[in-house]
Each structure stands twice: as structure tokens, then as C-alpha cells.
């Protein structure tokens, strides 16, 4: 039987193998989003006021998590490009990435629907959250994913960092202490 110890997201097996189990923040947030969508779906077909309340609660939480995921992706891209010094709205960040992409690749795409969604979110989150539904959540997800797909197709930017990039410092520390 193999002995294992887990500390700080690292599992060290008795034979010396290590398994890094920590995901990036973006991956965690995406999984959280999917979890809340499934929870909303699981209550959607039930009858009664409690089920309706739970559907609304999970849909709202899913949307908040989706916007947080999207923001985390854009923030990581801005950090990578060295443009993260100032706080900008999600709308402004998307517009800047689209402009940079146009300059780099010559490709343009119409993301006016996404920009309108982000503008509503930037201006009045409460109004957006009060009117969230399964349909609006799916529309937001589809619009955000289309933007991320476009950017990934035209640039070397990725919504999820490579697995090794998040653990490089930890691995250097562990190797240095052996």
C-alpha cells in the first residue's frame, strides 16, 4: 500500500512521485459556474416556492461566478501583456483586446452583443442580477465563450493557463528542498 501526504495542493507518494492537484483560479471558477448551473437545473423541474427560490438563487450565483471567471481571464491576459496597472471596466478591457487583435492579426469580429451585456453589468449589476434567467445566463455564457474562442483562435492567449505554469514556483521550491 502506498503512503501519501497532501499539503498545499501537492500529493507526495511514498515512492517519491508528486501529483499537483491545484487548478488555476480560472478553472476553479469555471467549475464553480458549472456547479451552480447544475444546481439550478436540479431544482427547475420541482414544484413550489422553495424550488423557485433556489432556482433564482443558483442562477444568480452562476451569473456572478461567470462574470468573475471572465474578469479573471481578462485580468490574467492583461497581466501577461503588462497592461494590468490600471483598473478598467470589462467593456473597456474587451474593446482593448479586440483592437489589439485587429492590429496583430488583421481579423475583426462583431462582439457588440457581448459589449452591451458587459456595459449593463458595468453600469448596474443589480438590475442585471434581478432579471437573470436560464435564458439570459445561457446568452451571457454563449457571448463570453464566443469572445474567448475568437481571442484564443487569433492569439496565443488562453482562458486556462497551462497546468505547469501555476505550479512552477512550487516545484522549484520542492526540488530545492530535496
Amino acid at each position: 500500500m502506498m503512503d501519501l501526504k497532501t499539503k498545499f495542493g501537492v500529493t507526495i507518494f511514498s515512492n517519491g512521485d508528486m501529483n499537483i492537484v491545484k487548478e488555476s483560479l480560472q478553472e476553479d471558477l469555471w467549475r464553480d459556474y458549472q456547479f451552480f448551473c447544475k444546481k439550478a437545473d436540479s431544482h427547475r423541474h420541482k414544484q413550489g416556492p422553495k424550488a423557485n427560490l433556489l432556482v433564482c438563487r443558483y442562477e444568480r450565483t452562476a451569473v456572478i461566478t461567470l462574470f468573475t471567471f471572465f474578469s479573471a481571464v481578462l485580468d490574467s491576459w492583461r497581466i501577461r501583456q503588462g497592461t494590468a496597472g490600471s483598473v478598467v471596466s470589462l467593456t473597456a478591457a474587451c474593446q482593448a483586446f479586440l483592437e489589439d487583435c485587429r492590429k496583430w492579426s488583421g481579423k475583426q469580429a462583431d462582439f457588440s452583443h457581448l459589449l452591451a451585456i458587459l456595459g449593463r453589468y458595468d453600469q448596474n449589476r443589480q438590475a442585471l442580477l434581478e432579471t437573470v434567467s436560464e435564458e439570459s445566463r445561457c446568452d451571457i455564457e454563449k457571448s463570453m465563450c464566443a469572445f474567448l474562442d475568437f481571442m484564443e483562435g487569433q492569439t496565443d492567449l488562453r482562458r486556462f493557463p497551462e497546468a505547469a505554469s501555476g505550479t512552477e514556483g512550487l516545484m522549484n521550491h520542492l526540488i530545492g528542498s530535496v
Side-chain angles (χ1 to χ4, degrees), residues 147-165:
F147 173 82
L148 296 174
D149 290 343
F150 176 77
M151 292 302 296
E152 288 178 334
Q154 301 305 314
T155 69
D156 63 349
L157 299 171
R158 299 294 172 255
R159 71 189 84 186
F160 302 117
E162 291 184 31
S165 69

Side-chain angles (χ1 to χ4, degrees), residues 21-178:
V21 295
K22 177 73 177 133
E23 295 179 332
S24 70
L25 175 62
Q26 294 91 323
E27 289 167 311
D28 270 349
L29 287 167
W30 184 253
R31 289 186 198 284
D32 290 346
Y33 167 70
Q34 292 173 322
F35 170 82
F36 293 123
C37 291
K38 286 178 186 173
K39 292 299 274 183
D41 289 342
S42 72
H43 291 281
R44 194 174 319 285
H45 304 292
K46 297 177 183 177
Q47 300 295 320
K50 183 176 180 183
N52 292 337
L53 173 72
L54 290 172
V55 168
C56 291
R57 181 170 290 155
Y58 286 124
E59 287 290 357
R60 196 170 40 249
T61 305
V63 168
I64 291 167
T65 305
L66 181 60
F67 275 99
T68 305
F69 158 77
F70 192 70
S71 178
V73 171
L74 296 185
D75 287 348
S76 72
W77 291 357
R78 291 181 71 229
I79 289 167
R80 183 169 169 222
Q81 292 183 326
T83 59
S86 62
V87 176
V88 297
S89 68
L90 289 176
T91 307
C94 281
Q95 289 171 326
F97 279 114
L98 288 170
E99 179 60 24
D100 287 346
C101 185
R102 187 191 60 72
K103 289 177 187 174
W104 299 326
S105 70
K107 304 274 177 146
Q108 280 189 194
D110 180 17
F111 288 100
S112 56
H113 182 65
L114 172 64
L115 294 173
I117 291 168
L118 296 176
R120 278 186 63 211
Y121 180 78
D122 287 336
Q123 291 174 2
N124 192 345
R125 292 178 186 158
Q126 183 175 339
L128 186 135
L129 293 173
E130 286 176 347
T131 60
V132 75
S133 65
E134 178 184 23
E135 183 179 334
S136 64
R137 176 189 46 84
C138 290
D139 180 54
I140 294 167
E141 176 188 343
K142 181 180 174 185
S143 297
M144 287 179 176
C145 287
F147 173 82
L148 296 174
D149 290 343
F150 176 77
M151 292 302 296
E152 288 178 334
Q154 301 305 314
T155 69
D156 63 349
L157 299 171
R158 299 294 172 255
R159 71 189 84 186
F160 302 117
E162 291 184 31
S165 69
T167 60
E168 188 173 306
L170 177 61
M171 290 302 292
N172 290 338
H173 176 73
L174 290 172
I175 290 170
S177 65
V178 174

